[in-house]
Every structure is written in structure tokens, then in C-alpha cells.
Amino acid sequence: MSRIQTAFLDLGLMDTLSGKDTPVHRLDPRAKLLTTLIFIITVVSFGKYEISAIIPFFIFPAVMMSLGELPFYYLFRKILIVIPFAFMIGIFNPLIDREILMRIGLFSISGGWISFCSIMVKFILTAGSVLVLIACTGFNSVCMALEKMGAPRIFAVQLLFLYRYIFVLIVEASRMANARALRSFDGKGKGMKVFGYLLGHLLLRTIDRAQRIYLAMLCRGFDGEIRVNRHLEAGMREVIFTVAWSAFFIAMRVYNIPLIAGSFITELIL
Amino acid sequence: MHMADALISPAVGGTMWAASAGLIAYCSKKVRDDVDDIKIPLMGVVGAFIFASQMINFTIPGTGSSGHLGGGMILAILLGPYAAFLTMASVLTVQALFFADGGLLALGCNIFNLGFFPCFIAYPFIYKKIAGEQPTQQRIMAGALAASILGLQMGAFGVVLETLFSGISELHFRTFVLLMQPIHLAIGIIEGLVTAAVVTFVWKARPEILEMAATAKPVRHLSLRNVIAGLLVFAAITGGALSWFASANPDGLEWAMFHVSGKEELESPEKGLHSMLGAIQEKTAFLPDYSFKNPEEKEGHAKTGEGEPAANSGEDGKWPTVSAGTSVSGLVGGALVLVLAAFIGFALKKRS
Amino acid sequence: MSHHIVEVKNLKYTYPDGTCALKDISFRITHGESVAVVGENGAGKSTLLLHLNGYLMSGNGIIRIGDYPLTKETVKEIRRTVGMVFQDPDDQLFMPTVYDDVAFGPLNLSLPPEEVDSRVENALFTVGALHLKSRPPYRLSGGEKRSVSIATVLAMSPDILVMDEPTSNLDPRARRKLIELLKTFKHTKIIATHDLDMVMDLCERTIVIHKGQVMSDGPTAEIFMNQELLAESHLEKPLRMQGCPVCGNK
Ligand SMILES: Nc1ncnc2c1ncn2[C@@H]1O[C@H](COP(=O)(O)OP(=O)(O)OP(=O)(O)O)[C@@H](O)[C@H]1O
Ligand SMILES: [Mg+2]
């Protein structure tokens, strides 16, 4: 399947997921957006050799995924698709940083490997939390939340339009790309010149479309201001959600729970 | 060239967020005041076009690899600088959210690097100057090409500066520049050629479209001097805000490695690369507390110096090995909590 | 009620690139009439419709909607009276969800939120699309999109409905449903189309446009019987008026 179709299906699936009706989906988008931001900042603020202390942060995406009935494997695969880059970069750490930081029995582990693992863990967490946010909130709601949280109306409207027409234009673009692919052989016809025409045509059509949309807007009384009849209601649930999770994140940031629990257990055993 | 979360300290990320948010607010106001309401749907739809067009690629002659359309410059030419900046910001936001291309924290940097420079520097001071009042095909070609290349160079330089201000990189300014600029010269030439091709195509087919952008009260009142002064003030604030973060000074080499690999982008500009990298780096950046350090002794190092003994292992910053006991506890506890997290997940799922 | 009258007199229009799309068009449509505008590709149908709500304005000719001539001053009021349904529903449905889209117009009329709400519900109910309310438009089928785009216009409670090729891209079932729906509307209707069978069902009057001019204007049945006229304007008799190719009956 071509990239463009994959991207389309991908957007579509994320969109479907966000249309579910679960307690998590019903939460006000602002609460989820804010909580995710706090989550990312706390995770990112950990030191580079930290692994165990970060682990409790998996609880957040895990809870969101199961309450929001999100498909774990799909989201995980989405992270995996992008992780090779992280892996490629992270893998330099063990090469550069060979200082032995840790010994377990006969094994010595260098700082590089530790920081590499830390990178992977943090990567999975931050990328995962953004995907979870979108999958259980939906892009449109995130935009509404942005607007309510102070982003300029025009910018939010911009994002909405962009998202709305991605679906239309991707179909149009892939039709053109297919037409080109069907008639180009041995790489001929895929050069820059044809590409320029292709894009140029697509662009002209796009601009025409914008004109027609504008006309449709005018016909319904558009006067430069886009209005949306939708009230977000943040109640007690939202406040509790945000405060409780943030408290949890901060507690986990301050106390290394796994280490404490681990010491307790190892002491019991040894 | 998407800056990634990991490359920047939260302070730089925050400052750039503020800068980009300010620009977004300013441009929103400008676009609202614009008489031409059609810009509102036009921006969104053309943004979607940039998005879709990045999914079609072309073969770069002689290499077998592929390239695609960049965005900022063509937007500026079509929409004028203010609307283009807003549109670029929305494209980057969607990329960050759906494809993890550029992190959330780095979004401010990316919007600035890929939006501000093309729209507010390269477009008015390069493209407009070359294309002139009575553009010809050659002038448009040359202008689009030059502006794309230089815009991207500035963006790349922005990455360098942001990194230096972050205090994350130990890389010398010069090495860094030598690493970044040539790569982006290559990318810029390709982007520039595509941009020029598309713009001239549009110009030939429907010249009025370009005229619309050009006549829409451009940044004429925006003098180069004002822009530079603004940038300087901005840099000073950034520098000030960040100086006290300077102690948190993580690994520079790793960063460079990132950039070496960042080159991959040239071969497969499939996006996503940087973001990932960034995400990674970002985690390593902030707050120098390492769990495996020997508290007092280490703290001293982290505060005073580059704090990243691993990178320059030759230096005095010997890291005391952590006692086996602690590490084993960490492992056991970590595993335990992970199982617990999974369990919580499953339990909730069953119930719901 | 003279309110729903549409009158066009000596309308001419030339596009900026020099294409002369309309040369001297005149007609008068009275309240409650349902009129088809037919003609070959490029005849000028869409151009004509775009004049009816003031998107295109030319100094040449007069357009009166209801009691007012269409001018820069009255255009806002007139756009409220004339509801336009465009050919491609994707152009008409630009908001994130069906609800938002149908609410777009009423909100621009500065109606109170409850009123907007009830208008949206009513409009969606009328076209049988209430269940699609919270769906994003890119997740609708072609027929559903068409229904919703009609609802977006109905929510403005226009007096006159103007539609450009409403049945294009619809499967036979969706087309039939649409026709039944349109039959129930009491509005003055102006429909540009190539679907002559629909015209027979829906419109008692037909205006034939050829190369930017009114070639014929009269009762639908009469016009469709006139072979010469049809041939000249690149049209064919509606299928159901043609002989059956299998049994050969007229
Ligand atoms: N934006 C435009 N600029 C210049 N010429 C145009 C434009 N739109 C239409 N025309 C020309 O005006 C004429 C009338 O076009 P119009 O779209 O009104 O035809 P139509 O009857 O709606 O045709 P169709 O049945 O194909 O929809 C055509 O010759 C067309 O080429
Ligand atoms: Mg037409």
C-alpha cells in the first residue's frame, strides 16, 4: 500500500477511535490536554540515567487505554513505526558513554546502555501519551480545547479546516499519484518536472475548492467570524481527574517508588 | 529539520512556545483585520494541500531517493506572510499530534524555525526583492529558489542557536554550524526547486492567485531593522531566562550524534525522524538528577560543569559505581510496578 | 406573497478572463414554482445560479429577489432568503461535525443558542439525517452528504431553494429519496441539472439555456416533446419518454 493511503487509513482509524463513547472520551478535552502536558513535562524532566523511577508513569497510559477501550497493539505499533529513529540515535550512547555505572553479579552495565534504555522508555511514554490523547479526545475537541484555553479563534478554526480537508485532499492527491504511478515506468515520470505539474494542478484545484467553500460560507451569512455552538463543561470530574493525575505524577517524580518497593522486597528475600 | 523535544531544555522549549504563541496571536489579529475573508477557508485548505503533497514524492535525480515539498515558502508566496505563518503552524501541529513528527514541547521551536524565517525574513526580504513588482518567470523562479534555500538555512541556524541556548550541546558553535548548514543546503536546494516549479506553474496558469497574495497589504511597514531589533530583544530574553538553567548541562556529543543521523532525513525525508530523536533527547536534558549517582559528590559536578561525565569520560568526573544492591532493588521494583501497571490496565478493561 | 419572486432581466456576465458566460438572460419565477434550468455543459447554468445570491454581480441587468433588487446593500438580506445547495457537498460541509455545519448559518444570524439548536434538529429531521448529527462530514456517504448539505440550507429557513446538480453522484436509491424529499418542499425551487427524468418528476417549468442565452422557457412536458429544440441544446428526451429498446414500444 502506498504511503499516502496508509496515512489516510491511519488518520481515519485514529478518528474512529476518538468517536467512541467511554468515560474517558466523555471527559472535557481541556482536562485531558492539560494532564497530558503535565505528564510529558514530568517524564521529560527525569535525568538521563533514570529508568526505574519512570516506570510508574506507564500507569497513566495504561489506565487511559483500558478505560478508553483503545487498542493497545495498534497504538503500540504506531509508536514502533517511529521508534527506529529514536533507536538509531539512542544507540550512539553506549558507544560514547562506556563508563560502568552498574554491576549486577558478573554483568557490568555502562552509562550509555542505561541512558539508552531510559531514552526508549521516555520515548514510548511521551509518544504514547500524545497518541492516547488524540485517540480518546479527537482532534476537533483538542482544537476546541485550545481555543477555550486562549488560542486565537482564527488559529483554532485554521486547524479545524486543515483537518477537515486533509481527508478530501488526500483522496484527491492519491488519485493523482496513482494516475502517475500507472503511467510511469522504470522511474520515468516520477521526476521533479512531472512532480511540479502534479502539485501545481493539485494546488489550483485546491484553491478553486477554497473559493467554492468561501462561497458556501457566504451563502450562509459568513461575515469573517466563525461561530461554534458548543459549550465545554468542566465539572468536578474534570478537576478531580486533572488534580489527581498531576499529584500522582509529581509524587512519582519526587519519590522513586519502584526503588523503595524493590528494596523492601529484596530485603525480605535476602 | 523538525526540532525534537529531546534537543531542547524545557526552558528553551517554553520560551520558544511563548514566542510562537505571540506570533500566532499577532498574525491572527493581522489576518482578521485583513479585508479578504476568503483567506480563512483558503488557509485551511492550502494547509491540507501541503499535508497531502508531502505524501506524494518525487525521485531525486541520480540518487534514487525521494524528496517532497517543504511548505513555508510556498505558503508565504501564496497567502502572504501572516496567513502563511498561521497555516504553517497548523500543519506542524497536526504533524506533531498525529505522526509524532516534532514533539509537543518542541512545537514552539519548530513553528518558529519553519514558520518565522520563511514567512517574515525570506519572503519579504529575499523573494519579494528578487521577484520585484513586475515579476517575470525567471524572477519568480530565482526568488523562490533563493528564498527557500536561505529560509531553510536560517531555520537550521535557529536549531543551532536554540541548542546553544539550551546549554545541552557541548558541541562548539563552529562544528555545529558546519554540521547543520551544508545538510540543509542540500535539502533547501531540492525544496527550492520544487517550490519554484509549483509557483511558476501557478503563475503561468493563474497569475491572479499570486497577485492576490502580493497585494494583500504585505509586510511593507516591516523594516529589516525592526525585525533584527526584535530578534535581538528576543535573544536577550531567551538568554537571560536560560542562563540559570545552564547548570543543567547534559550531553553534547550525543546531540551531535543525533544530528549526524539527522542527515538521514536527506535520504528519506519521510518525516518523523527528528521528532523521535528529539523526544529522546529531551528526556535526557532537563534537571540533572541521576538516580545512579553518588549524591553529594555528583551533585557538585552537575552544578558546576558540563555535568556529563559520560561524554567526556576523560575528565575528572568519575562516576561512582552504584552499589549492586540498589540497582537490583531498582530492577525488581521497576518490574513489579510495570506488572502492576499492566494489571491495572487489564483489570479496568475487564470491568468496563 | 410577492416575497418569493425571482426576476432576472437582461443579465449579462463576462468572466474576468474574457469568457462571455451569459448574454442577455431574462425570466420571472413566481412564488412556489419549481423550475428546472437545463442546457449543455458550459451553457452558463452555474454562472446564472451564482448571480441569484449575489456571489457574482455584474453591472449589466437587473435581478430582483422578492421585493428588492439585488445590490450590495441588499445582498446580506437576500442571501438569507435564497438557499444555495452546491454541486459538491464537500465544499458545503466544511465544519468538523454535521451539527456544527448545520448550525453555522443560524449562528451567523445571531440567533439564541436554543433557537439554533432547534433549527438544527428540525433541518436534520426533515432530511432524515438526525442520526448523523455528531458525525464528521468526511465519514458520510455521498447521499448522506447531500442530505446534510440540504439541511445546512434549510436551517436558514430560506424562501427560495437554488440547487446546482443535486442528483449528480447519487446512486438510484439515494436519487429517488432526494426527489421524494424535494417534492415535499413548498419553497420556490430553481434546479440546474442534466437529470431530465428528475425534472419531469419535480419541475412543472423548464428553462433551456444555450450558450448563455435563454433558448426556451415553458412547461416541462412541452419542451421535452420538442425534438429539435432538445437536439440543438445537446439534450435528449428523458429516458422514460423514449421508446423501450427491448420491447420497441413507444
Ligand atoms: N471561473 C471562471 N472563469 C472563467 N470562465 C469560466 C469560469 N467559470 C465558468 N466559466 C466559463 O463560463 C461558461 C459557463 O460556465 P458554467 O459553469 O456556468 O456552465 P454550466 O452550464 O454550469 O456547465 P456544466 O453543465 O458543465 O456545469 C463556460 O464557458 C465556462 O468555461
Ligand atoms: Mg455547472
Side-chain angles (χ1 to χ4, degrees):
Chain A
M1 211 169 15
S2 75
R3 240 179 90 204
I4 186 159
Q5 277 152 338
T6 319
F8 185 59
L9 291 179
D10 226 33
L11 278 170
L13 192 60
M14 289 296 272
D15 203 73
T16 314
L17 290 178
S18 69
K20 289 191 170 190
D21 187 29
T22 72
V24 183
H25 284 81
R26 281 193 293 269
L27 277 176
D28 187 293
R30 284 170 292 182
K32 286 178 272 184
L33 184 61
L34 200 64
T35 309
T36 306
L37 264 176
I38 297 171
F39 175 84
I40 291 178
I41 292 172
T42 30
V43 168
V44 164
S45 74
F46 275 103
K48 67 182 290 188
Y49 294 107
E50 197 61 82
I51 299 175
S52 66
I54 308 177
I55 301 293
F57 281 78
F58 276 103
I59 292 175
F60 176 63
V63 167
M64 296 291 278
M65 266 196 254
S66 40
L67 286 185
E69 294 168 20
L70 305 178
F72 170 79
Y73 289 108
Y74 170 71
L75 292 182
F76 191 67
R77 228 182 23 235
K78 247 179 107 80
I79 301 177
L80 282 189
I81 290 172
V82 275
I83 215 168
F85 302 115
F87 185 88
M88 234 163 47
I89 301 316
I91 203 69
F92 283 108
N93 280 13
L95 301 179
I96 302 163
D97 178 359
R98 292 162 181 248
E99 191 101 12
I100 302 301
L101 282 192
M102 194 172 153
R103 287 210 173 81
I104 300 174
L106 294 177
F107 294 99
S108 340
I109 302 173
S110 72
W113 281 112
I114 296 174
S115 62
F116 169 70
C117 293
S118 175
I119 286 169
M120 290 297 133
V121 169
K122 285 172 176 171
F123 178 80
I124 291 173
L125 281 173
T126 48
S129 68
V130 172
L131 294 180
V132 167
L133 170 72
I134 289 292
C136 74
T137 311
F139 187 73
N140 294 328
S141 303
V142 171
C143 293
M144 303 281 176
L146 277 177
E147 202 249 346
K148 291 276 183 263
M149 288 162 87
R153 165 80 54 96
I154 281 204
F155 182 61
V157 165
Q158 216 31 233
L159 283 167
L160 291 176
F161 264 104
L162 176 73
Y163 188 63
R164 164 72 181 89
Y165 284 98
I166 280 178
F167 288 88
V168 176
L169 285 187
I170 282 189
V171 171
E172 222 161 282
S174 62
R175 249 186 253 138
M176 293 180 98
N178 284 343
R180 177 185 63 169
L182 289 175
R183 285 183 290 162
S184 52
F185 306 96
D186 299 335
K188 282 198 191 101
K190 290 209 167 176
M192 191 127 65
K193 197 164 170 201
V194 176
F195 180 71
Y197 290 151
L198 205 70
L199 282 194
H201 269 298
L202 185 60
L203 181 59
L204 290 184
R205 281 202 218 168
T206 306
I207 290 171
D208 285 340
R209 183 181 289 282
Q211 249 144 15
R212 295 195 303 267
I213 295 167
Y214 178 59
L215 171 59
M217 294 169 77
L218 281 183
C219 286
R220 289 192 274 149
F222 176 64
D223 53 8
E225 184 74 46
I226 300 242
R227 301 172 181 87
V228 181
N229 192 20
R230 207 187 283 181
H231 343 270
L232 299 180
E233 272 164 40
M236 218 44 213
R237 266 185 337 155
E238 279 74 18
V239 175
I240 293 173
F241 177 86
T242 313
V243 170
W245 277 117
S246 308
F248 174 73
F249 300 152
I250 291 168
M252 291 302 129
R253 179 67 187 80
V254 176
Y255 301 104
N256 188 340
I257 301 296
L259 189 63
I260 296 169
S263 317
F264 183 69
I265 290 173
T266 41
E267 258 163 46
L268 273 187
I269 296 171
L270 302 178
Chain B
M1 195 193 56
H2 293 180
M3 187 83 166
D5 281 356
L7 306 182
I8 50 172
S9 68
V12 169
T15 319
M16 297 311 286
W17 252 81
S20 294
L23 277 168
I24 287 175
Y26 176 71
C27 292
S28 300
K29 194 179 163 316
K30 281 283 177 194
V31 172
R32 277 188 56 122
D33 295 346
D34 197 336
V35 248
D36 211 358
D37 284 341
I38 194 185
K39 285 256 169 84
I40 291 171
L42 187 60
M43 285 154 69
V45 182
V46 172
F49 161 78
I50 295 290
F51 215 97
S53 75
Q54 296 194 337
M55 307 277 167
I56 317 178
N57 39 24
F58 64 93
T59 311
I60 297 171
T63 61
S65 53
S66 58
H68 61 65
L69 186 66
M73 201 57 221
I74 199 161
L75 286 173
I77 296 174
L78 287 172
L79 301 172
Y82 303 111
F85 182 83
L86 284 186
T87 310
M88 197 63 208
S90 9
V91 172
L92 290 169
T93 306
V94 173
Q95 279 175 340
L97 286 175
F98 278 87
F99 298 96
D101 195 3
L104 269 190
L105 191 61
L107 190 56
C109 295
N110 285 324
I111 292 178
F112 197 87
N113 297 342
L114 298 173
F116 177 80
F117 293 114
C119 299
F120 289 107
I121 310 268
Y123 173 72
F125 301 117
I126 298 168
Y127 176 79
K128 293 285 272 183
K129 290 276 160 356
I130 296 178
E133 296 288 320
Q134 253 86 48
T136 61
Q137 187 182 342
Q138 282 75 24
R139 280 164 163 264
I140 289 179
M141 277 281 241
L145 189 60
S148 298
I149 293 172
L150 290 168
L152 200 62
Q153 286 293 300
M154 287 182 260
F157 194 64
V159 171
V160 172
L161 287 185
E162 282 152 19
T163 315
L164 287 182
F165 275 124
S166 289
I168 287 173
S169 168
E170 277 184 63
L171 214 60
H172 293 296
F173 175 73
R174 229 183 40 166
T175 329
F176 210 169
V177 169
L178 286 179
L179 188 68
M180 290 290 285
Q181 305 306 122
I183 300 165
H184 287 97
L185 181 64
I187 299 175
I189 291 175
I190 291 163
E191 278 194 14
L193 287 173
V194 180
T195 305
V198 175
V199 171
T200 45
F201 180 88
V202 172
W203 185 74
K204 269 193 270 182
R206 305 261 295 272
E208 75 275 4
I209 289 173
L210 295 190
E211 278 153 25
M212 183 173 76
T215 52
K217 286 190 294 181
V219 276
R220 225 169 266 134
H221 49 280
L222 194 73
S223 77
L224 187 54
R225 192 167 355 115
N226 289 350
V227 171
I228 290 176
L231 277 179
L232 282 180
V233 171
F234 174 67
I237 296 171
T238 320
L242 299 181
S243 51
W244 43 277
F245 267 92
S247 53
N249 222 354
D251 190 323
L253 265 184
E254 199 182 310
W255 206 93
M257 290 335 276
F258 153 72
H259 266 281
V260 172
S261 338
K263 266 192 274 189
E264 299 298 332
E265 152 154 16
L266 186 54
E267 279 104 54
S268 56
E270 312 278 276
K271 92 203 149 126
L273 171 71
H274 334 322
S275 59
M276 312 332 313
L277 309 174
I280 307 157
Q281 299 296 128
E282 122 191 2
K283 339 246 137 119
T284 65
F286 185 32
L287 296 189
D289 64 337
Y290 309 113
S291 71
F292 291 95
K293 75 205 164 193
N294 195 337
E296 279 91 284
E297 206 181 323
K298 182 60 217 104
E299 217 72 290
H301 278 293
K303 288 275 139 69
T304 51
E306 300 312 290
E308 195 21 84
N312 32 352
S313 47
E315 278 175 33
D316 47 341
K318 277 279 171 201
W319 280 51
T321 318
V322 182
S323 83
T326 325
S327 11
V328 173
S329 316
L331 282 181
V332 173
L336 195 75
V337 176
L338 195 57
V339 172
L340 189 70
F343 179 75
I344 293 178
F346 270 111
L348 288 174
K349 191 163 209 153
K350 284 278 140 58
R351 214 206 47 186
S352 50
Chain C
M1 263 204 297
S2 62
H3 206 61
H4 307 169
I5 286 179
V6 178
E7 189 172 14
V8 174
K9 237 189 226 162
N10 306 109
L11 183 68
K12 297 187 190 66
Y13 187 77
T14 307
Y15 278 101
D17 67 351
T19 315
C20 181
L22 300 180
K23 342 176 170 140
D24 200 14
I25 300 246
S26 303
F27 57 81
R28 182 187 157 92
I29 294 172
T30 50
H31 171 61
E33 255 189 304
S34 180
V35 178
V37 177
V38 300
E40 79 274 3
N41 289 128
K45 304 180 293 292
S46 302
T47 313
L48 172 63
L49 298 196
L50 289 180
H51 277 86
L52 296 182
N53 68 351
Y55 177 70
L56 295 178
M57 288 205 208
S58 55
N60 293 315
I62 300 168
I63 296 175
R64 292 179 76 88
I65 308 282
D67 305 321
Y68 309 102
L70 205 167
T71 60
K72 282 229 163 20
E73 289 74 48
T74 56
V75 72
K76 264 200 110 155
E77 192 54 39
I78 281 173
R79 280 189 184 145
R80 200 187 284 201
T81 326
V82 180
M84 272 280 241
V85 180
F86 292 91
Q87 189 168 352
D88 182 354
D90 270 326
D91 298 337
Q92 186 139 9
L93 306 177
F94 43 82
M95 295 292 280
T97 65
V98 166
Y99 178 92
D100 291 327
D101 217 300
V102 181
F104 179 85
L107 283 171
N108 286 335
L109 299 179
S110 317
L111 299 173
E114 310 78 56
E115 167 79 12
V116 171
D117 225 47
S118 72
R119 279 201 184 198
V120 173
E121 303 252 329
N122 276 339
L124 284 174
F125 179 78
T126 311
V127 301
L130 200 51
H131 59 292
L132 304 174
K133 201 169 128 182
S134 53
R135 289 253 216 113
Y138 43 81
R139 303 214 157 250
L140 302 178
S141 75
E144 289 167 338
K145 275 187 198 168
R146 185 78 58 174
S147 305
V148 174
S149 40
I150 291 175
T152 65
V153 169
L154 291 182
M156 302 281 288
S157 41
D159 300 318
I160 299 159
L161 274 181
V162 176
M163 294 186 232
D164 200 348
E165 319 226 6
T167 51
S168 61
N169 294 326
L170 292 188
D171 68 24
R173 175 85 163 277
R175 174 179 166 276
R176 180 49 55 194
K177 270 169 73 181
L178 178 72
I179 293 175
E180 295 307 322
L181 175 68
L182 293 178
K183 264 188 191 167
T184 65
F185 291 169
K186 297 279 168 281
H187 306 76
T188 304
K189 287 179 284 250
I190 302 175
I191 304 172
T193 185
H194 296 291
D195 181 351
L196 300 189
D197 283 283
M198 173 188 71
V199 173
M200 289 194 56
D201 282 335
L202 223 47
C203 308
E204 61 271 21
R205 177 175 161 196
T206 297
I207 298 176
V208 182
I209 297 198
H210 180 55
K211 294 191 176 155
Q213 277 170 312
V214 177
M215 187 140 123
S216 171
D217 180 352
T220 302
E222 260 171 47
I223 288 185
F224 287 173
M225 293 305 286
N226 188 340
Q227 285 286 11
E228 268 168 55
L229 176 78
L230 291 179
E232 205 174 328
S233 46
H234 302 218
L235 296 170
E236 278 179 357
K237 256 190 191 174
L239 287 176
R240 87 175 80 135
M241 290 176 69
Q242 291 178 14
C244 169
V246 180
C247 55
N249 283 344
K250 268 271 173 183

